[in-house]
Amino acid sequence: MTVTRTDLANAIRVLTMDAVEKANSGHPGMPMGMADIAEVLWNDFLQHNPANPHWSGRDRFILSNGHGSMLQYALLHLTGYDLSIDDLQQFRQWHSKTPGHPEYRDTPGVETTTGPLGQGLANGVGMALAERMLAAQFNRPDHEIVNNHTYVFLGDGCLMEGVSHEACSLAGVWGLNKLICFYDDNNISIDGHVDDWFGDDTPARFEAYGWHVIPHVDGHDPEAIKKAIHSAHKQTAKPTLICCKTVIGHGSPNKAGTHDVHGAALGAEEIALTRKNLGWSGAAFEIPESIYHAYNAKAKGAAAEGAWKEKFAKYKANFPKEAAEFERRLAGEPSADFDKAIAKMISDFRKDAPKIATRVASGKTIQGIAASLPEFLGGSADLTPSNNTRWKEAIDIGKHRLMGNYIHYGVREFGMSAIMNGVSLYGGFLPFGGTFLIFSDYSRNAIRMSALMGIRVVYVMTHDSIGLGEDGPTHQPVEQVNSLRLIPNLHVWRPADAVETAVAWESAVKLARTPSLLALSRQNLPALPHTDETVAHARRGGYVIKDAEGGKAKGILIATGSEVELALAAQAKLAEQGHPVRVVSMPCMELFAAQDTAYQESVLPTSISKRVAIEAGTTGLWYKYVGLHGAVIGIDHFGASAPAPILFEKFGFTVDNVVVRFQSL
Ligand SMILES: Cc1ncc(C[n+]2csc(CCOP(=O)(O)OP(=O)(O)O)c2C)c(N)n1
Ligand SMILES: [Mg+2]
């Protein structure tokens, strides 16, 4: 039997129908609609090696409309990845390699976790950016070791989401010509035909961003799709959006073109009718050998990677230093120089004991370690001077200018964060980005995705409390620190001085699978009385910064950030009144919670139940450490516009109040 392109696309359709039916859960409409586009892209264009999903030279494929996960699983299976037909039969089941939405690390060949619409597209912008930046840094004339495309599938939902604007606007400015996106223009989203809620002129919108737009492509015509991709490949300074007219659930006689097929199994009867309609005779999960043969990308992939390896070997012979550095960067290992640089920062801060804002300490730390971290990719969402994220030698990325290491993201917190995720996933970079802590809420789902994927991204979030003063309640974080602490696998640091800030940076750089967020003060904070031991223990997230005189504490004051200073002052006053208490600084609650119980017990002995936690934010989480008999001095209401010292006083952050609260226990 000769296999036609339609047969090949139909294999994706039937595998999708069958897997969704078996799970009685999932989204058949999009894979059935985009099957022809996917088939052409994967069989005629995509450079990848199923035997090595980690080959750095591969093209990146991202399913931003992640609900259509079966499309990606079918492709990975058919082209020869380690994803068997049994795996497809386990679609959406416990511990399977085929989860409901594509999950980074769960499935070989899945480049990023998608499902939260719009973010996959923004990740794709980040990957395409990383590729062009890495190319600018490492490629040499006649030695192109970095040269791949990033392909993104996306739907109406991705384009309705605001983050698509933020990311695509930047992609236009940067001129990411290796980014090629396929818009699944099927006129359907969950609620029905989109005409009543999505009337954008999408081609005009993307042209306005400076993209190359190919409108009105028949998404079921392989030749038209091929032609569009060829045209995209010719671009030298613009990303491409290929607008593909498709029919959702294509092939289903009764459900195609309707929202019924978006997210529900077709049912046995309709599947039988669809098989008939497609001229497909095989049983469920049965794919003819001829189709496997046509899709199999193992030989092509091995040859492509082999050719790249030869190229890299020549590069290595000519540029041994660069080649070693390239390998180190892609492995994500900090250089030995970093250890020295950060150790020096910590020891300088200890020696100088500066009274500075932790945002300033962070800026000094960045300055001190940047030379040892060529993978650093800094940036800020238009708050560079406030976030102190830029170091002196940084080179700005800009309009069609990608040789650099600092990004002015503009006022786009969510876009910045989702782009950083893409950059981190691509490899070779350690992205960090700044904004005011209050706007972490704008970034929040991307921060969550960093944590869910377990990737290294550093969020530098300044102006961490009412301590910012006059800008008032819109700008004063109250619930942010604690609400960020609720995100699993995110380290939230609220350092109390310069040393703790450097320790936070050290941890953030070294943790490969945990993103870190630094909540930093606007106002100056005094240096804490550090010893070798306190610095070592700061690395454990919480530690005794100053014990009661003589070591016989009858109470504990726990504080973070700017409130540690207050705790120390209250400790002195309590001591005068005959109450010996210890002060615990807890810059990273998650890290402290991960320590062994013996260490935790040494810091917070069970026998001492008189405890007061002090933090200029919501109180709820602190009861975990002060217990039922403890007190928390915090803020469970919005802030106010006034000078910071007045706010601290009015909201009860005074030595007298701490003393009174402690004595009332
Ligand atoms: C941020 C976000 N909001 C809502 C959803 C829930 N959701 C999943 S698919 C979908 C509709 C998307 O429409 P479209 O992209 O056109 O997909 P199609 O039905 O065409 O496959 C929605 C609202 C989501 N996954 N992410
Ligand atoms: Mg749609």
Side-chain angles (χ1 to χ4, degrees):
M1 147 186 169
T2 52
V3 179
T4 66
R5 298 214 85 136
T6 305
D7 295 330
L8 293 174
N10 286 344
I12 297 172
R13 295 191 171 98
V14 293
L15 283 173
T16 296
M17 289 194 303
D18 294 344
V20 173
E21 190 69 16
K22 183 155 194 291
N24 192 24
S25 162
H27 301 77
M30 179 286 235
M32 295 175 77
M34 294 195 84
D36 300 290
I37 306 164
E39 183 278 311
V40 171
L41 175 65
W42 279 60
N43 283 327
D44 290 8
F45 294 95
L46 196 73
Q47 294 285 316
H48 64 130
N49 183 8
N52 181 12
H54 304 292
W55 166 38
S56 71
R58 71 193 183 278
D59 288 337
R60 305 308 198 264
F61 175 79
I62 299 151
L63 202 71
S64 189
N65 38 4
H67 53 278
S69 55
M70 261 313 298
L71 176 82
Q72 193 162 11
Y73 301 149
L75 291 162
L76 293 168
H77 168 69
L78 291 165
T79 53
Y81 282 77
D82 179 17
L83 198 69
S84 67
I85 198 79
D86 290 346
D87 291 323
L88 299 194
Q89 294 190 7
Q90 290 301 306
F91 181 49
R92 295 190 153 227
Q93 304 309 305
W94 174 250
H95 271 175
S96 80
K97 284 160 84 176
T98 48
H101 289 83
E103 300 283 348
Y104 182 59
R105 298 188 203 283
D106 281 5
T107 316
V110 166
E111 303 281 2
T112 178
T113 297
T114 53
L117 298 174
Q119 277 191 77
L121 172 55
N123 296 161
V125 170
M127 290 185 202
L129 170 70
E131 190 269 345
R132 285 295 80 198
M133 289 188 306
L134 204 64
Q137 294 177 13
F138 284 93
N139 286 353
R140 296 290 178 271
D142 300 320
H143 292 276
E144 280 215 319
I145 55 165
V146 182
N147 181 20
N148 70 267
H149 283 98
T150 299
Y151 298 103
V152 181
F153 278 19
L154 58 111
D156 299 298
C158 293
L159 292 183
M160 285 186 246
E161 286 291 351
V163 72
S164 68
H165 167 71
E166 298 183 16
C168 294
S169 161
L170 282 170
V173 171
W174 292 331
L176 302 178
N177 63 308
K178 308 295 274 302
L179 174 65
I180 301 176
C181 300
F182 299 80
Y183 165 35
D184 184 27
D185 181 9
N186 61 15
N187 225 42
I188 292 286
S189 66
I190 289 183
D191 280 5
H193 288 264
V194 298
D195 305 0
D196 281 340
W197 52 88
F198 188 41
D200 298 2
D201 180 343
T202 296
R205 172 185 162 193
F206 277 76
E207 265 161 26
Y209 292 150
W211 284 49
H212 170 55
V213 180
I214 309 178
H216 313 301
V217 173
D218 178 350
H220 300 296
D221 175 354
E223 283 312 309
I225 297 158
K226 224 169 133 167
K227 206 172 129 209
I229 299 173
H230 279 304
S231 156
H233 279 185
K234 292 200 190 89
Q235 295 308 307
T236 54
K238 289 179 173 188
T240 295
L241 182 72
I242 304 176
C243 300
C244 304
K245 267 280 163 212
T246 66
V247 177
I248 191 167
H250 180 89
S252 161
N254 297 304
K255 296 191 174 175
T258 74
H259 62 136
D260 298 339
V261 76
H262 160 89
L266 292 176
E269 202 177 315
E270 186 66 12
I271 287 180
L273 291 172
T274 306
R275 276 186 146 72
K276 202 162 155 218
N277 190 34
L278 296 175
W280 190 276
S281 54
F285 295 105
E286 230 181 67
I287 299 294
E289 257 325 299
S290 52
I291 285 191
Y292 276 123
H293 183 74
Y295 266 109
N296 196 312
K298 283 180 169 170
K300 250 189 335 194
E305 186 175 355
W308 180 86
K309 277 185 173 151
E310 268 178 39
K311 208 187 267 186
F312 189 69
K314 285 189 194 135
Y315 180 86
K316 204 169 186 167
N318 284 282
F319 310 101
K321 232 178 70 207
E322 287 83 350
E325 179 64 359
F326 182 77
E327 286 174 326
R328 180 191 72 78
R329 294 242 327 235
L330 285 182
E333 280 158 18
S335 67
D337 290 351
F338 169 72
D339 287 336
K340 279 185 236 146
I342 193 72
K344 181 170 182 325
M345 285 316 302
I346 293 171
S347 96
D348 285 357
F349 282 149
R350 272 184 70 184
K351 247 188 288 164
D352 303 346
K355 180 172 179 163
I356 52 178
T358 51
R359 67 176 168 139
V360 173
S362 170
K364 286 180 184 294
T365 305
I366 291 169
Q367 183 65 49
I369 61 181
S372 73
L373 289 170
E375 56 268 52
F376 243 12
L377 177 65
S380 167
D382 205 41
L383 284 167
T384 296
S386 299
N387 299 146
N388 294 44
T389 34
R390 198 177 180 286
W391 63 103
K392 283 199 216 77
E393 303 78 15
I395 300 168
D396 295 330
I397 300 283
K399 188 168 178 189
H400 293 211
R401 211 177 58 241
L402 301 180
M403 179 56 134
N405 48 21
Y406 192 86
I407 301 184
H408 298 278
Y409 287 98
V411 192
R412 300 182 182 93
E413 297 81 9
F414 191 11
M416 169 177 78
S417 307
I419 287 171
M420 290 199 292
N421 283 341
V423 168
S424 180
L425 287 162
Y426 184 88
F429 294 96
L430 166 46
F432 69 91
T435 183
F436 287 152
L437 179 63
I438 195 74
F439 303 125
S440 61
D441 290 335
Y442 277 52
S443 293
R444 188 176 177 97
N445 202 269
I447 299 173
R448 183 175 192 274
M449 297 304 283
S450 316
L452 172 59
M453 290 191 274
I455 58 177
R456 198 169 53 146
V457 174
V458 185
Y459 296 93
V460 179
M461 305 227 154
T462 67
H463 300 60
D464 69 337
S465 75
I466 52 163
L468 67 84
E470 293 83 347
D471 273 339
T474 57
H475 283 53
Q476 290 162 355
V478 171
E479 75 281 22
Q480 278 66 29
V481 168
N482 273 309
S483 95
L484 288 159
R485 285 176 179 142
L486 298 176
I487 299 178
N489 193 38
L490 174 69
H491 280 186
V492 179
W493 287 86
R494 188 165 183 261
D497 74 347
V499 168
E500 283 190 7
T501 306
V503 166
W505 264 109
E506 176 186 50
S507 169
V509 170
K510 292 201 154 188
L511 278 177
R513 292 206 173 189
T514 300
S516 301
L517 184 145
L518 279 51
L520 304 169
S521 74
R522 175 190 183 223
Q523 73 276 29
N524 288 342
L525 304 179
L528 299 180
H530 282 293
T531 62
D532 288 348
E533 188 177 57
T534 63
V535 174
H537 286 176
R539 297 188 170 99
R540 307 184 79 161
Y543 64 103
V544 180
I545 180 64
K546 194 158 180 239
D547 210 346
E549 284 305 329
K552 290 264 186 297
K554 297 250 164 42
I556 307 174
L557 305 179
I558 312 169
T560 76
S562 43
E563 286 68 69
V564 176
E565 173 186 12
L566 172 62
L568 290 168
Q571 178 188 42
K573 187 85 181 265
L574 283 164
E576 282 169 19
Q577 301 178 358
H579 299 290
V581 301
R582 74 164 40 167
V583 173
V584 168
S585 177
M586 196 176 288
C588 182
M589 212 187 226
E590 302 75 28
L591 197 50
F592 181 72
Q595 301 303 310
D596 57 79
T597 40
Y599 178 74
Q600 291 177 357
E601 178 66 21
S602 75
V603 178
L604 300 175
T606 319
S607 58
I608 309 180
S609 62
K610 279 191 167 192
R611 302 177 180 193
V612 179
I614 314 162
E615 186 177 67
T618 49
T619 56
L621 285 188
W622 285 106
Y623 288 96
K624 168 175 172 180
Y625 288 123
V626 300
L628 291 176
H629 305 293
V632 183
I633 298 173
I635 306 176
D636 286 315
H637 50 77
F638 292 114
S641 174
I646 303 293
L647 292 173
F648 278 113
E649 188 198 319
K650 299 284 181 196
F651 293 149
F653 294 89
T654 61
V655 170
D656 287 346
N657 190 39
V658 177
V659 168
V660 166
R661 294 293 295 273
F662 181 83
Q663 286 175 339
S664 73
L665 293 176

